[in-house]
Amino acid sequence: MKKTFIGMVTAGLLVFSANTALAYTVQEGDTLNEIADEKNVEVEEIASMNEEITNVNLIYPNQEIDIPDEDTEATEAIKGTSTNEASTQTGSDLFARLVTAEAKGEPLEGKIGVAKVVMNRVESDAFPDTTEGVIQQTGQFDPVTSGKIGNTVSTDEAQEAVQTVVNGGGDVNGALYFYNPDLSNSSFMQSLTTVDVVGGHEFKK
């Protein structure tokens, strides 16, 4: 079965992994504020322990984060289990930076569409099994090929689009590709079937 970015999870996986921190697997619907309140710690404390958290309002299902733990004698404990294997979690900001670069000037719906194409590829047998693998696949996204993505700062709207998609939202009729016909005359894109149009992008499969 094709692995997907989002696992179907019935309960949180909580593992006490160190004397000063415990590892927590983010569940669908979690927010950093709720996690901090539940664990009686500050959001800033969690963020400072996790370099991949660049925006405290943007976390992902199956993302593993460290949480401050004052119990130095804590031992491993399982609080719940996953009912479906999830793929390796990519750096959360990479996804949002790709959407920022690819959908600059597009409405929120268009940014969601771009993010949805990435997720559709993760779920397709024709592409890598993780968002990071899809995004970094050779020759697929111009901002990655050119190196521009390295200098791109993700916008709040792009982060919102990514969060919408990883939570199961967004729909571009199964599209696996997108392009702007005003900026590209790709014969490959023109040969594909257009399944949706949002803003300046045609979505294809």
Side-chain angles (χ1 to χ4, degrees):
M1 178 179 291
K2 177 76 173 180
K3 292 190 293 184
T4 60
F5 181 82
I6 304 172
M8 298 300 293
V9 181
T10 57
L13 178 63
L14 186 62
V15 179
F16 294 86
S17 59
N19 287 343
T20 59
L22 59 86
Y24 178 77
T25 302
V26 177
Q27 303 305 297
E28 189 167 349
D30 276 352
T31 68
L32 210 57
N33 281 327
E34 290 172 347
I35 295 171
D37 287 344
E38 181 182 345
K39 307 305 176 188
N40 197 30
V41 297
E42 298 295 327
V43 169
E44 291 76 12
E45 290 182 85
I46 299 176
S48 68
M49 296 183 71
N50 297 272
E51 293 182 356
E52 72 276 15
I53 298 179
T54 58
N55 184 329
V56 296
N57 295 314
L58 188 64
I59 57 176
Y60 298 87
N62 299 309
Q63 181 178 1
E64 293 188 0
I65 60 176
D66 289 329
I67 299 174
D69 177 28
E70 295 180 356
D71 185 357
T72 59
E73 297 181 354
T75 57
E76 185 173 306
I78 302 297
K79 190 176 180 180
T81 58
S82 169
T83 61
N84 189 39
E85 183 180 7
S87 66
T88 302
Q89 170 67 35
T90 183
S92 60
D93 195 47
L94 176 64
F95 198 172
R97 283 189 284 125
L98 178 75
V99 173
T100 298
E102 286 283 9
K104 183 178 181 180
E106 295 295 318
L108 176 59
E109 184 182 1
K111 292 179 174 67
I112 291 173
V114 168
K116 190 65 175 180
V117 165
V118 173
M119 293 304 296
N120 287 347
R121 289 189 179 192
V122 171
E123 294 166 359
S124 168
D125 290 332
F127 294 92
D129 289 339
T130 67
T131 54
E132 184 175 22
V134 166
I135 291 168
Q136 295 183 341
Q137 188 175 19
T138 301
Q140 295 301 304
F141 297 103
D142 287 342
V144 177
T145 301
S146 67
K148 178 182 177 182
I149 196 169
N151 297 319
T152 298
V153 177
S154 61
T155 64
D156 290 344
E157 197 166 71
Q159 292 164 1
E160 180 181 349
V162 169
Q163 191 71 66
T164 296
V165 168
V166 298
N167 284 336
D171 181 19
V172 284
N173 298 313
L176 295 172
Y177 303 89
F178 62 88
Y179 90 124
N180 187 328
D182 292 333
L183 301 177
S184 171
N185 60 357
S186 168
S187 58
F188 171 72
M189 288 295 184
Q190 292 171 3
S191 72
L192 300 175
T193 300
T194 299
V195 294
D196 206 350
V197 177
V198 183
H201 281 139
E202 292 184 6
F203 291 85
K204 303 271 193 172
K205 68 178 181 180

